[in-house]
Amino acid sequence: MPAAATPALAALITAGVLHEVVKFEHDSRERSYGVEAVHALTDAGDIAAEQILKTLIIAVPDGFAVAVVPASSKLALKAAAAALGVPKAAMAEPAAAQRATGYVLGAVSPFGQRALLPTVVDSSALGWDRVYCSAGRRGWDVAV
């Protein structure tokens, strides 16, 4: 794999962040990308479902923001808005999320996005030495 196969990996390399890319077979018919990653990565038994995070793009009054939550969880929009200090938040339209980040749905990474967006991360991520999130390509996750 090239040193910077995706913008997410390029950002991690540039920042000097230790990481490991984990690949799995993506089913092109699958539309629940986070659930697919949970099933693929937990099958070996050494990764807990709660370690696998999904990256969601939300619309806020001044544009967009990023919410990173466990893949098997549902985002609490009120809590995300409160953490961002805005009155409200809604899920971004898929096309707008893709334009804002430069990633296709199912491959949105919190790293290496087109623009630096305000980001909130579920506090449960702090309970793990390693968490997994999209590496910027469907079927690729990165452990950080």
Side-chain angles (χ1 to χ4, degrees), residues 10 28 37 58 97 105 128 131 136 139:
S28 62
I58 55 178
L105 295 185
W128 300 99
V131 293

Side-chain angles (χ1 to χ4, degrees), residues 114-129:
R114 278 194 178 133
L116 186 59
L117 299 174
T119 301
V120 293
V121 179
D122 189 281
S123 62
S124 66
L126 297 173
W128 300 99
D129 291 335

Side-chain angles (χ1 to χ4, degrees), residues 16-83:
V17 175
L18 293 177
H19 62 279
E20 176 188 358
V21 177
V22 180
K23 297 179 185 179
F24 58 90
E25 190 66 35
H26 165 65
D27 181 347
S28 62
R29 298 168 296 180
E30 181 63 62
R31 292 295 171 253
S32 184
Y33 304 109
V35 171
E36 179 184 37
V38 167
H39 289 296
L41 299 179
T42 59
D43 280 350
D46 56 341
I47 300 171
E50 296 81 11
Q51 288 177 269
I52 303 165
L53 308 176
K54 62 184 173 185
T55 306
L56 302 171
I57 307 305
I58 55 178
V60 294
D62 291 331
F64 297 102
V66 178
V68 183
V69 298
S72 56
S73 297
K74 183 175 176 162
L75 174 64
L77 287 165
K78 286 183 181 182

